[in-house]
C-alpha cells in the first residue's frame, strides 16, 4: 500500500500578492473594456457621453497589471518562427480580425513572413502611400486623428476634454547648446520657451495607430533631429476609450521624444508605447532600447545627436523612414509654426501616411 502525502490546506490555497494583482487588475481591465464597448454603442446612436476620469486608485489598479512583462512575453512570442503550413491560417485570422489590406503590402504572399513580428512590420508598395508635396506637414503614419490644434496654457488635449501637461510629456527643456536655434528666456512659461520666433504659435496633433494599421512611421516634414529623450514607464492601452478615461495617459506610458527644428522653429515627434508595444525602434538610433525589465519611476534618458554624432544632428526628409512599432500605438507631433498655419483635418477621421496634416 502506498501512503498518500498531502500538503496542508493553507499551503495549497496560499495566494501570493502577484496572483492577486494579476487577477484583480486583469478583471478590472476586462470591466473597462466592457464599459468602452457600451460607450461606443451610445456614440453610434448620437448620444453625447460625459467625460468620466479615472480616480487615483483606478489608475493604480490598472498599473498593477504586469503589462511590461506581458509585452516582453508577447514580443518574444512574435519572434518565434512559424511552420510554413501554419503561417497562412494565423495571418489570415489577424487580417480578418483587424481589417488589414494586404494588397498594399510589398510582399502579399503570407508564407514569406517567418513570424508575427515580420508580418506586423511589413513594408508597403512604393506607390501605396504617395507623399503629398504641396503641404508642409504630412501624416507620419496610418491611423486615426484623436486631436489637433493650438497648444494653450501649457496643456495638450489627448482626446476632447482630457488634457495632459506639456512639460510633463516632453520633460525639462533641452539646453541651448543642443539646439540649432536660440530659446526664450528661462523666466517665461514652458510653452513660451519652445516658441523661438515672434508671432509663432505652438501646435499639436495626436495620431492613434490601431493593430491593423501600417506599423512604420516616417518623417512628417523636412527637419533636423538634434535630441532624443526616452521615458521608461507603464504600457497601458492607448486606445481612444482609455485615453478618454485616464488623464495624462501619455505621460504615464513609455515614450521616445525626438526634438529638433524645421524652417519655422521647434519641432518634435513622440512615439508613445502601449500594451504589447514595448518595442519602439528608431532606425538611426542604435543605442535606444525600450521596455527594459527594470527602470526608475519618473526617470528619463537623454541622448544628443549633435554632441555624440556630427555636430549637425540627423537631417530627415519629408516621408523618409523614421521608425516602427511592433503592433500599434500613438504618435504625438508638437511643433512651432506661424499663426496662419491651418490643419486640414477632422477629429476622428482616418488618415494614411503621406496625406496632408496642414500647411501655411
Amino acid at each position: 500500500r502506498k501512503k498518500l502525502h498531502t500538503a496542508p490546506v493553507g499551503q495549497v490555497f496560499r495566494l501570493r500578492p502577484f496572483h492577486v494583482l494579476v487577477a484583480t487588475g486583469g478583471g478590472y481591465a476586462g470591466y473597462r473594456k466592457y464599459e468602452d464597448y457600451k460607450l461606443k454603442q451610445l456614440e453610434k446612436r448620437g448620444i453625447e457621453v460625459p467625460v468620466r476620469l479615472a480616480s487615483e486608485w483606478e489608475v493604480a489598479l490598472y498599473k498593477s497589471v504586469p503589462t511590461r512583462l506581458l509585452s516582453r512575453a508577447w514580443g518574444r512570442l512574435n519572434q518565434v518562427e512559424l511552420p510554413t503550413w501554419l503561417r497562412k491560417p494565423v495571418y489570415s485570422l489577424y487580417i480578418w480580425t483587424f481589417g488589414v489590406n494586404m494588397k498594399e503590402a510589398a510582399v502579399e504572399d503570407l508564407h514569406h513572413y517567418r513570424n508575427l513580428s515580420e508580418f506586423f512590420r511589413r513594408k508597403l508598395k512604393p506607390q501605396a502611400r504617395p507623399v503629398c508635396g504641396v503641404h508642409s506637414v504630412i501624416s507620419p503614419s496610418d491611423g486615426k486623428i484623436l486631436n489637433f490644434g493650438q497648444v494653450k496654457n501649457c496643456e495638450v488635449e489627448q482626446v476632447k476634454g482630457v488634457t495632459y501637461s506639456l512639460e510633463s510629456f516632453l520633460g525639462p527643456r533641452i539646453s541651448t547648446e543642443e539646439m540649432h536655434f536660440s530659446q526664450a528666456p528661462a523666466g517665461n512659461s514652458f510653452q513660451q520657451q519652445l516658441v523661438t520666433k515672434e508671432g509663432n504659435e505652438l501646435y499639436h496633433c495626436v495620431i492613434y495607430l490601431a493593430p491593423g494599421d501600417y506599423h512604420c512611421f516616417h518623417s512628417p516634414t523636412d527637419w533636423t533631429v538634434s535630441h532624443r529623450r526616452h521615458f521608461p514607464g507603464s504600457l497601458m492601452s492607448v486606445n481612444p476609450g482609455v485615453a478618454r478615461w485616464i488623464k495624462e495617459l501619455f505621460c504615464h506610458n513609455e515614450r521616445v521624444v525626438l526634438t529638433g527644428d524645421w524652417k519655422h522653429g521647434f519641432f518634435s515627434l513622440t512615439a508613445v508605447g502601449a500594451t504589447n508595444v514595448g518595442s519602439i525602434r528608431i532606425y538611426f538610433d542604435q543605442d535606444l532600447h525600450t521596455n527594459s525589465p527594470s527602470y526608475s519611476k519618473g526617470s528619463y534618458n537623454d541622448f544628443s545627436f549633435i554632441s555624440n554624432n556630427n555636430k549637425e544632428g540627423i537631417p530627415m526628409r519629408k516621408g523618409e523612414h523614421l521608425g516602427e512599432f511592433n503592433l500599434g500605438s500613438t504618435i504625438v507631433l508638437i511643433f512651432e509654426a506661424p499663426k496662419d498655419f491651418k490643419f486640414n483635418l477632422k477629429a476622428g477621421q482616418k488618415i494614411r501616411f503621406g496625406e496632408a496634416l496642414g500647411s501655411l
Side-chain angles (χ1 to χ4, degrees):
R1 295 182 180 181
K2 295 182 180 180
K3 292 184 178 180
L4 298 176
H5 297 276
T6 58
V9 174
Q11 186 175 348
V12 173
F13 294 100
R14 183 183 299 166
L15 292 176
R16 298 183 180 182
F18 176 77
H19 299 151
V20 174
L21 288 175
V22 171
T24 56
Y28 192 73
Y31 166 74
R32 287 305 312 170
K33 287 287 186 182
Y34 174 67
E35 289 293 308
D36 291 342
Y37 170 77
K38 291 198 300 183
L39 289 177
K40 288 179 181 178
Q41 296 304 310
L42 291 174
E43 288 175 352
K44 286 181 179 178
R45 292 162 54 186
I47 301 175
E48 187 173 348
V49 182
V51 175
R52 190 190 78 82
L53 296 176
S55 61
E56 290 186 8
W57 73 264
E58 287 177 310
V59 175
L61 183 57
Y62 190 1
K63 283 187 172 182
S64 71
V65 181
T67 52
R68 293 179 64 85
L69 177 63
L70 293 173
S71 297
R72 284 195 296 275
W74 175 253
R76 290 173 183 169
L77 178 63
N78 290 346
Q79 294 173 2
V80 174
E81 185 170 342
L82 298 176
T84 306
W85 62 268
L86 188 58
R87 294 174 188 176
K88 188 171 183 179
V90 170
Y91 301 147
S92 295
L93 177 61
Y94 185 90
I95 291 168
W96 177 78
T97 303
F98 296 108
V100 178
N101 183 4
M102 283 303 294
K103 291 183 178 179
E104 298 176 335
V107 180
E108 296 184 39
D109 182 11
L110 298 180
H111 297 99
H112 169 79
Y113 303 99
R114 294 174 298 176
N115 52 47
L116 282 166
S117 183
E118 285 189 3
F119 178 71
F120 293 150
R121 295 180 286 106
R122 63 194 176 277
K123 304 300 181 185
L124 298 182
K125 295 173 182 175
Q127 67 274 19
R129 295 290 187 276
V131 175
C132 177
V134 177
H135 295 269
S136 55
V137 184
I138 62 168
S139 175
S141 66
D142 289 5
K144 178 182 180 181
I145 301 295
L146 293 189
N147 218 305
F148 63 92
Q150 284 189 18
V151 177
K152 297 180 180 179
N153 301 320
C154 293
E155 292 281 324
V156 185
E157 281 195 318
Q158 58 190 27
V159 294
K160 185 178 180 181
V162 182
T163 63
Y164 56 93
S165 164
L166 179 65
E167 186 169 6
S168 297
F169 182 68
L170 296 178
R173 71 170 186 153
I174 302 163
S175 63
T176 56
E177 289 80 7
E178 298 185 33
M179 306 300 285
H180 286 173
F181 47 85
S182 61
Q183 292 184 319
N188 293 342
S189 70
F190 183 80
Q191 179 177 337
Q192 291 172 326
Q193 292 171 22
L194 298 181
V195 178
T196 64
K197 297 180 181 180
E198 188 176 352
N200 281 2
E201 297 287 350
L202 205 60
Y203 298 86
H204 75 99
C205 182
V206 183
I207 305 171
Y208 167 68
L209 289 76
D213 288 326
Y214 170 54
H215 290 34
C216 298
F217 51 93
H218 301 245
S219 176
T221 191
D222 295 333
W223 65 309
T224 300
V225 183
S226 56
H227 188 272
R228 177 258 291 161
R229 176 168 285 162
H230 171 216
F231 290 86
S234 302
L235 288 174
M236 294 184 283
S237 171
V238 293
N239 75 58
V242 178
R244 188 184 296 112
W245 179 55
I246 298 181
K247 183 178 174 63
E248 298 205 334
L249 170 65
F250 298 157
C251 298
H252 289 292
N253 273 15
E254 182 162 22
R255 59 198 181 278
V256 177
V257 182
L258 300 178
T259 55
D261 63 294
W262 69 319
K263 60 183 178 181
H264 298 297
F266 174 81
F267 199 97
S268 73
L269 180 149
T270 302
V272 183
T275 307
N276 294 336
V277 195
S279 174
I280 301 171
R281 183 183 174 193
I282 305 298
Y283 294 137
F284 57 74
D285 189 355
Q286 302 303 316
D287 295 322
L288 175 65
H289 301 286
T290 57
N291 196 12
S292 59
S294 61
Y295 70 97
S296 300
K297 185 178 180 180
S299 65
Y300 60 85
N301 306 303
D302 282 342
F303 186 88
S304 171
F305 296 109
I306 292 179
S307 58
N308 293 284
N309 188 32
N310 56 9
K311 306 297 182 182
E312 297 293 334
I314 308 295
M316 297 297 300
R317 303 293 297 175
K318 184 168 65 174
E320 185 177 351
H321 277 84
L322 182 54
E324 63 188 33
F325 294 111
N326 250 1
L327 191 59
S329 193
T330 299
I331 289 178
V332 180
L333 302 179
I334 298 175
F335 57 93
E336 173 186 359
K339 291 183 177 180
D340 58 349
F341 182 88
K342 299 294 182 184
F343 283 102
N344 301 314
L345 301 172
K346 292 181 180 179
Q349 79 171 72
K350 292 288 292 182
I351 197 166
R352 304 202 301 177
F353 155 61
E355 294 179 346
L357 288 184
S359 189
L360 298 173

